[in-house]
Amino acid sequence: MSCCDLAAVGQLGKAGIMASDCEPALNQAESRNPTLERYLGALREAKNDSEQFAALLLVTKAVKAGDIDAKTRRRIFDAVGFTFPNRLLTTKEAPDGCPDHVLRALGVALLACFCSDPELATHPQVLNKIPILSTFLTARGDPDDAARRSMIDDTYQCLTAVAGTPRGPRHLIAGGTVSALCQAYLGHGYGFDQALALLVGLLAAAETQCWKEAEPDLLAVLRGLSEDFQKAEDASKFELCQLLPLFLPPATVPPECYRDLQAGLARILGSKLSSWQRNPALKLAARLAHACGSDWIPVGSSGSKFLALLVNLACVEVRLALEETGTEVKEDVVTACYALMELGIQECTRCEQSLLKEPQKVQLVSIMKEAIGAVIHYLLQVGPEKQKEPFVFASVRILGAWLAEETSSLRKEVCQLLPFLVRYAKTLYEEAEEANDLSQQVATLAISPTTPGSTWPGDALRLLLPGWCHLTVEDGPREILIKEGAPSLLCKYFLQQWELTSPGHDTSVLPDSVEIGLQTCCHIFLNLVVTAPGLIKRDACFTSLMNTLMASLPSLVQQQGRLLLAANVATLGLLMARLLSTSPALQGTPASRGFFAAAILFLSQSHVARPTSGSDQAVLALSPDYEGIWADLQELWFLGMQAFTGCVPLLPWLAPAALRSRWPQELLQLLGSVSPNSVKPEMVAAYQGVLVELARANRLCREAMRLQAGEETASHYRMAALEQCLSEP
C-alpha cells in the first residue's frame, strides 16, 4: 500500500472530526448505503493489516467528509476496534517511501474519529493512550510536513474530546498532558495556540491539580505570557488580560513576573479605554492584589502613582455601579474593585514602608470614603430575598475592611446600616454551610478562578468583628448593636468558634483567622464589660460565656504559642468575675478555682530576674515567652492585674487560694532580688495593688508577706499602702 493510500485512509478521521460539529442526519437509505455496507463487511472480515488498510481505503471512498454521523462512526469503530489503531500508534515500520511517523498519524486519525463519540472518549483504550498522545505534541520533525501537522491536529482533537468528559481533566493531568501542553506552547510550533486553549480549559476545571502536577512548566508559561503582555502594543494585550488570571498560581506569583505584569497593566490603565478594555485589567490587578498584596508594585514614585491610579479607578467604578438605583451591576468587575480598595486601605493604614506618601493617603481615603458611601447605599436597599447572593457578601466584606480601620467618618450612615448588618450576620451564622458556599462564590466571582484563599473567611460575622470592636466603644453604635441583639449573637459565635480549638480538634489545621476572631470577640466583650456592665449582669448569654472561660483557661495557658489568646481569655474572665461575683459558679467551685489558678499563672510568669554583667543585682525583665509579644500583651496584663485586685475582696476564698499558689511570696521574692531602679512605676503600682488587697483580705497572707521581708521590700519600692497594711496586726 502506498503512502498516498495511507493519507487517504487518514481522511476518515477528518470526516469524523468535521461531522462531530454538525452531525448531519442521514436518512435510512443513506445510512444503509449498499456499497458502504459491503466495505464495512470487508473491514470486519480482514485477516491482516494489509487487508484492513485496503478495506479502510474503500470505506473512505464510500463516504465523504461531513457525511459520517454518530451512528455510522460507531459502526466503523465496531468494525475496526482498538487493536489496529493500537498497533499503528506503537509500530516503527512504515511502507517504503513514507516517513516513519505516517502510521502513527493514521492511528491518531482513527482515534480522533472515534473520540467524537463521548462514550468512546472515556473508553479505557482511549484513556491509556493519553501519555502516548501527549508525547506527540512535543515530538520533533519537519514543521511543514502535512502529515505531521495532521497528526498534531488529530492529537488535540483526541485530548480536547477527553477533556470534555466529566473525569477527563483528571485523566489528562495524571497522564502528563499539562506539562506537554506547556512545552508545546512555549515551543511555538504548529498548533501551539491549541495547546494554550486546552491549558485554559484544564486550569479552569482543575487548577489545584494542574499546579500540583506541573508547577515548573506552568510557571514557565506564566513568565512567557507576562513577557508577551509587557511587550504587546496591539489588541492582543487585552486578550492576555483575560488569560493571565487563569495562569496565576494558587499560592503566590513568582517575583520575576512582577515587573512585566505591572508594566503591562500600567500601560493599559493609564490610557483612555472603553469598559470592555479596562475591566479585564482591573480583574487581573485584583487577582495580583489578592495573591501578592502590594509586593508586585514597585517601590518609588512610579509605584505609588500606579497604586493611586488603581484605587482611584476602582472607587470610580464602584460609585458608578452602586450609586444609581436600577443600574445593572457588573458584579465580577465591582468585586475586583473591592479587592483593589482593600489594597488601598491596607497601604493607607501602613505606617512603615508604605508605597504611598502622606498626601496620597489623605486623597485616597477621601476617595474611598465616597465609594464606601456607595456600598452602604447599596446595602441599605438589599432585601431579604437577596441576602444570600455572593455580591452582597462581597459588599459586606469591603465594608468590614473599611470599618476595621475607620469608623469616625460616615457615622450616621453606618449607624443606619447596623441593624441590617446584625441581621445579615445572624442569618449567615445560622446557616453556616451556605455562608461557606457564599465565600467560595465570591472568590469565583472575580478574585480567584477556583477556591478562595485564607483571606476569604466563610462567615460574615468574622468580617465585621474588627469594626464592631471599634463601634462598641461609642455610645450610639453600641446602643444599636445591643438593641439588635449583637451581644447574644457574639456570645454564640464565640462559643461555636471556641469548640474548634477545644481538645479533640486538630488546631494545627485551623486558619489563623479563627484565633484572631476569638481575640477580637474578647476585645468586644471587654468593651461591653467597661461600658455596659448592666448588660453583662442581666443577659444569660454572658453567664454561659463565663462558664466557658473558666473551663478553658487552665488548659489554654499550658499551650505553646497561644499566650495572646490566653491573655485575652484571662483578662476578660477576671473582669467579668468582678461583675458576676455573686454567681454560684464563682463561689469556690472547682471550675472557678481552676480558672483563678490559671489566671495567676498568666499574671505571675510575665517577668523574671535577669542577671547583668558588672553588677551584683539583677534587673526585672520580661520572660522569654512574653518578650516577643509584649507590645500586644501589656495592656491586657495590666488590666488583668487590676481586675484580679478587684476580685479579691469580692471572693473570700480567693486570697487563701492565692496564698496556696505562693504567688504573693514569690512576687515579693522577685522584687527583693532585683534593683528597684529596674522596675517601672506602673509595674510597682500593679504589684502593690495585688499585694495590698491580698494582705487586707487575709491574715495568713499578711503573715506570709512579713516572713518574706514584705515590709522591707515595700519600703525599698516606696509602696506606702503595702507598708502600712503589713505594719498592722
Side-chain angles (χ1 to χ4, degrees):
M1 183 166 290
S2 70
C3 190
C4 294
D5 290 336
L6 290 172
V9 174
Q11 292 305 308
L12 183 63
K14 303 301 176 294
I17 294 166
M18 295 176 66
S20 68
D21 294 329
C22 55
E23 295 293 353
L26 296 180
N27 59 37
Q28 190 67 22
E30 290 175 320
S31 66
R32 293 297 178 184
N33 181 320
T35 304
L36 178 61
E37 291 299 318
R38 187 167 62 253
Y39 294 158
L40 285 175
L43 186 58
R44 283 191 293 269
E45 295 171 4
K47 295 181 176 59
N48 53 49
D49 288 349
S50 295
E51 291 183 7
Q52 282 192 310
F53 272 124
L56 277 172
L57 180 60
L58 292 172
V59 169
T60 62
K61 292 178 179 179
V63 297
K64 296 179 181 179
D67 284 346
I68 299 181
D69 65 353
K71 187 175 180 181
T72 304
R73 195 162 51 244
R74 186 60 184 246
R75 293 177 64 221
I76 295 173
F77 164 75
D78 291 339
V80 177
F82 278 112
T83 303
F84 183 49
N86 287 349
R87 287 205 303 275
L88 291 173
L89 289 172
T90 56
T91 186
K92 296 182 179 179
E93 297 180 4
D96 294 339
C98 288
D100 60 0
H101 61 272
V102 71
L103 294 179
R104 293 194 297 273
L106 178 57
V108 177
L110 289 170
L111 280 184
C113 175
F114 300 155
C115 283
S116 300
D117 184 336
E119 185 177 340
L120 292 178
T122 60
H123 195 286
Q125 287 287 351
V126 171
L127 298 178
N128 66 20
K129 302 299 182 300
I130 290 174
I132 298 175
L133 293 172
S134 297
T135 63
F136 294 163
L137 300 179
T138 56
R140 295 181 179 180
D142 182 1
D144 297 323
D145 186 303
R148 186 175 294 278
R149 289 191 171 204
S150 178
M151 183 176 72
I152 291 174
D153 286 335
D154 290 338
T155 299
Y156 281 118
Q157 178 69 23
C158 293
L159 297 176
T160 301
V162 173
T165 63
R167 297 177 63 85
R170 183 178 300 180
H171 290 298
L172 292 175
I173 293 167
T177 303
V178 176
S179 291
L181 291 170
C182 291
Q183 293 165 27
Y185 173 75
L186 292 170
H188 274 66
Y190 179 76
F192 79 97
D193 53 336
Q194 297 181 71
L196 185 63
L198 189 48
L199 267 178
V200 167
L202 291 177
L203 283 167
E207 179 195 34
T208 303
Q209 292 88 341
C210 286
W211 280 99
K212 184 178 179 180
E213 290 295 326
E215 181 174 345
D217 295 301
L218 285 169
L219 287 176
V221 173
L222 174 60
R223 284 190 287 269
L225 291 173
S226 300
E227 291 174 8
D228 293 343
F229 181 54
Q230 193 271 334
K231 296 174 183 176
E233 297 289 348
D234 55 12
S236 65
K237 61 186 176 184
F238 302 115
E239 297 172 5
L240 286 167
C241 256
Q242 294 177 318
L243 276 179
L244 277 164
L246 289 167
F247 285 88
L248 297 180
T252 183
V253 179
E256 60 266 28
C257 296
Y258 288 170
R259 183 183 64 83
D260 289 335
L261 293 171
Q262 188 273 332
L265 282 171
R267 188 181 298 113
I268 290 176
L269 294 174
S271 307
K272 189 174 182 180
L273 302 170
S274 60
S275 60
W276 73 267
Q277 295 170 319
R278 181 179 61 252
N279 291 347
L282 290 173
K283 291 168 74 172
L284 173 58
R287 274 297 316 275
L288 289 166
H290 179 65
C292 315
S294 61
D295 292 345
W296 61 286
I297 301 176
V299 176
S301 176
S302 64
S304 64
K305 289 179 180 178
F306 174 71
L307 177 57
L309 173 65
L310 268 184
V311 178
N312 212 324
L313 288 172
C315 290
V316 170
E317 192 70 33
V318 168
R319 291 188 64 190
L320 287 174
L322 302 183
E323 282 184 344
E324 295 185 18
T325 305
T327 304
E328 183 180 354
V329 178
K330 295 178 180 177
E331 295 179 351
D332 57 339
V333 178
V334 177
T335 304
C337 292
Y338 287 165
L340 297 175
M341 286 175 60
E342 278 199 55
L343 180 62
I345 292 170
Q346 291 166 10
E347 286 300 315
C348 285
T349 54
R350 182 179 293 181
C351 298
E352 297 179 359
Q353 297 181 333
S354 173
L355 291 172
L356 299 169
K357 297 178 181 178
E358 203 58 37
Q360 289 174 312
K361 291 182 179 182
V362 173
Q363 184 182 21
L364 284 184
V365 167
S366 176
I367 294 169
M368 287 190 289
K369 174 184 172 183
E370 294 174 349
I372 292 297
V375 174
I376 294 175
H377 172 75
Y378 165 76
L379 290 174
L380 283 169
Q381 299 172 68
V382 172
E385 73 283 356
K386 287 190 173 184
Q387 286 194 12
K388 296 177 184 178
E389 293 184 3
F391 183 65
V392 175
F393 187 93
S395 301
V396 170
R397 173 185 167 86
I398 186 60
L399 178 62
W402 172 265
L403 293 177
E405 305 295 344
E406 173 58 59
T407 56
S408 59
S409 61
L410 299 171
R411 183 175 302 178
K412 179 180 177 182
E413 293 84 352
V414 170
C415 287
Q416 190 179 359
L417 186 64
L418 277 179
F420 164 81
L421 293 178
V422 176
R423 290 195 301 272
Y424 181 77
K426 184 177 181 181
T427 298
L428 293 196
Y429 167 75
E430 292 174 348
E431 302 173 21
E433 288 188 5
E434 286 197 38
N436 250 339
D437 184 55
L438 269 180
S439 180
Q440 294 196 15
Q441 290 181 53
V442 170
T444 58
L445 198 59
I447 305 305
S448 171
T450 53
T451 55
S454 60
T455 53
W456 291 85
D459 63 81
L461 192 50
R462 193 180 303 164
L463 305 174
L464 296 169
L465 288 177
W468 286 7
C469 187
H470 297 314
L471 291 170
T472 48
V473 176
E474 304 175 26
D475 293 340
R478 182 177 63 253
E479 290 175 5
I480 296 173
L481 288 170
I482 292 173
K483 180 181 177 183
E484 296 296 330
S488 177
L489 173 62
L490 287 169
C491 283
K492 293 176 184 177
Y493 178 78
F494 181 90
L495 296 177
Q496 180 225 47
Q497 293 291 294
W498 191 263
E499 280 296 312
L500 299 177
T501 69
S502 61
H505 290 79
D506 185 2
T507 57
S508 64
V509 300
L510 287 177
D512 293 340
S513 55
V514 172
E515 190 150 316
I516 293 172
L518 288 170
Q519 292 177 23
T520 309
C521 280
C522 287
H523 295 166
I524 295 174
F525 295 141
L526 286 170
N527 290 340
L528 293 175
V529 166
V530 174
T531 60
L535 175 70
I536 308 299
K537 293 178 179 179
R538 68 174 180 267
D539 198 321
C541 71
F542 287 101
T543 301
S544 299
L545 176 62
M546 185 71 213
N547 291 336
T548 299
L549 299 179
M550 288 195 299
S552 306
L553 187 62
S555 62
L556 184 60
V557 293
Q558 304 290 345
Q559 297 175 28
Q560 284 287 92
R562 308 190 74 190
L563 182 56
L564 193 54
L565 180 59
N568 277 279
V569 170
T571 304
L572 175 61
L574 289 170
L575 284 167
M576 289 180 63
R578 265 193 333 188
L579 298 176
L580 302 174
S581 60
T582 58
S583 167
L586 285 163
Q587 307 310 310
T589 60
S592 62
R593 290 180 180 276
F595 169 78
F596 276 94
I600 289 173
L601 195 64
F602 159 66
L603 295 172
S604 65
Q605 293 186 340
S606 60
H607 290 78
V608 294
R610 182 176 298 169
T612 57
S613 57
S615 175
D616 295 336
Q617 225 172 1
V619 296
L620 188 70
L622 288 166
S623 60
D625 288 342
Y626 289 67
E627 193 169 13
I629 58 173
W630 186 246
D632 298 317
L633 201 63
Q634 61 176 334
E635 186 176 352
L636 289 168
W637 186 86
F638 280 108
L639 196 55
M641 290 287 285
Q642 182 182 348
F644 185 93
T645 301
C647 287
V648 172
L650 299 174
L651 302 171
W653 60 268
L654 184 53
L659 182 62
R660 284 193 296 273
S661 74
R662 294 193 53 78
W663 184 26
Q665 301 97 308
E666 291 174 357
L667 180 50
L668 287 169
Q669 184 180 3
L670 174 65
L671 291 173
S673 65
V674 301
S675 167
N677 293 331
S678 68
V679 186
K680 296 179 180 179
E682 59 268 25
M683 294 294 300
V684 173
Y687 286 146
Q688 179 176 224
V690 168
L691 292 170
V692 166
E693 286 302 331
L694 290 173
R696 287 174 177 168
N698 187 270
R699 178 181 58 80
L700 294 177
C701 279
R702 290 196 297 274
E703 292 178 0
M705 290 182 195
R706 292 190 190 107
L707 292 174
Q708 196 62 51
E711 292 178 276
E712 182 181 350
T713 301
S715 176
H716 286 159
Y717 284 89
R718 298 181 181 178
M719 297 179 177
L722 179 60
E723 191 173 5
Q724 180 180 352
C725 185
L726 293 180
S727 65
E728 297 172 357

